[in-house]
């Protein structure tokens, strides 16, 4: 968490070089989210339940 704060601070205070890097990361993140959303939409109920169980046991989802 601390590392993320440091990187965000560095990105906001740096010149144009880091902004290009950040935009590229943001684009890749959005692209991955779209791919994952599309894949999840096609899962069966049993597959969704298995995914949900796996993600909750790994603390990716906190109800």
């Amino acid at each position: 968490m601390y590392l993320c704060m440091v990187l965000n601070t560095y990105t906001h205070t740096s010149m144009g070089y880091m902004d290009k890097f950040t935009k590229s990361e943001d684009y890749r993140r959005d692209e991955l989210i779209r791919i994952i959303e599309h894949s999840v939409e096609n899962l069966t109920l049993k597959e969704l339940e298995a995914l949900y169980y796996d993600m909750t046991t790994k603390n990716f989802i906190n109800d």
Side-chain angles (χ1 to χ4, degrees):
M1 180 67 133
Y2 177 74
L3 179 60
C4 289
M5 292 185 330
V6 170
L7 289 175
N8 285 337
T9 302
Y10 181 73
T11 300
H12 292 296
T13 59
S14 66
M15 301 268 181
Y17 175 74
M18 284 303 290
D19 289 340
K20 290 178 186 175
F21 184 71
T22 302
K23 288 178 185 175
S24 176
E25 281 186 357
D26 289 343
Y27 175 79
R28 181 65 178 146
R29 184 179 188 282
D30 290 343
E31 181 182 36
L32 289 170
I33 289 171
R34 280 192 301 275
I35 292 168
I36 292 168
E37 284 177 340
H38 179 72
S39 298
V40 168
E41 289 173 349
N42 296 319
L43 295 177
T44 66
L45 178 58
K46 289 189 180 217
E47 291 169 331
L48 284 170
E49 288 172 338
L51 179 62
Y52 176 80
Y53 175 79
D54 187 48
M55 292 180 77
T56 55
T57 57
K58 293 178 181 174
N59 292 322
F60 293 136
I61 296 176
N62 298 317
D63 286 336

